[in-house]
Amino acid sequence: MNAISNLEFKRSNWQTAMILTLGFWLSASLVLDWVIMPSLYFAGMMNEANFSTAGYVIFGNFNRLELLSAAVVLTAVLAISKTKSHWGLGSIVLSGLLLTVALLDTYFLTPQMCALGTNFSLLASNPLPATMNLLHSGYFLLEALKVLAGGILLNWYWREA
């Protein structure tokens, strides 16, 4: 009887790795986007001459961590979908979307914002260009998409456990 209950509640290592990685990744993203960056903004970071360098260091390092997390999540989803036939295309698409968001943030948005911020810091008396507002809007749209897709994926696999 004891052996049956142990087998019934045992989850795979891939499922545990995916749940822990998604939980860490989403919570770190929320802390960065809703606590750290607003407090730096209200502390006057945008008025400093080297704010783009500080932003690039913060987001550049965090984006590499996001890439690693997205790779672990995609690998875990592929491994789980191989062993369980009812987990298929939906979870693979969501985890692929998470990887795409991480790639766009790392290799497109962050370098573009840094380059535009560097040009802006040379001309600190001018207001922020409209392009920077467009890039920030795109970044927060991708962040909302990431939190939504990650939350759905986390919910699916948490209920499965």
Side-chain angles (χ1 to χ4, degrees):
M1 179 85 120
N2 194 13
I4 293 172
S5 67
N6 284 341
L7 289 175
E8 184 179 341
F9 293 112
K10 192 170 186 171
R11 76 170 60 129
S12 73
N13 290 337
W14 283 114
Q15 193 170 1
T16 303
M18 194 217 41
I19 288 172
L20 290 174
T21 302
L22 267 176
F24 167 73
W25 182 15
L26 294 177
S27 62
S29 291
L30 291 174
V31 166
L32 183 68
D33 292 337
W34 292 100
V35 176
I36 294 173
M37 290 315 292
S39 60
L40 289 175
Y41 175 77
F42 289 120
M45 181 183 99
M46 295 291 282
N47 297 328
E48 296 295 322
N50 58 358
F51 77 93
S52 65
T53 306
Y56 187 73
V57 168
I58 292 170
F59 282 103
N61 290 331
F62 186 72
N63 287 339
R64 268 59 175 192
L65 188 62
E66 282 188 316
L67 281 175
L68 181 63
S69 298
V72 168
V73 168
L74 180 61
T75 304
V77 165
L78 289 173
I80 292 168
S81 67
K82 186 72 173 167
T83 60
K84 296 182 180 185
S85 61
H86 66 279
W87 288 107
L89 192 59
S91 57
I92 293 171
V93 167
L94 285 177
S95 60
L97 180 68
L98 289 172
L99 181 62
T100 304
V101 167
L103 285 169
L104 284 173
D105 281 347
T106 303
Y107 296 114
F108 178 70
L109 283 175
T110 301
Q112 289 293 326
M113 284 192 274
C114 179
L116 193 61
T118 302
N119 292 336
F120 174 68
S121 65
L122 294 175
L123 309 168
S125 61
N126 293 338
L128 278 175
T131 310
M132 184 66 93
N133 290 332
L134 182 65
L135 290 172
H136 279 133
S137 299
Y139 175 79
F140 282 112
L141 180 70
L142 286 176
E143 286 295 304
L145 186 65
K146 176 179 71 179
V147 169
L148 180 68
I152 290 170
L153 201 58
L154 186 62
N155 186 28
W156 284 351
Y157 282 97
W158 185 261
R159 284 190 294 161
E160 179 69 19

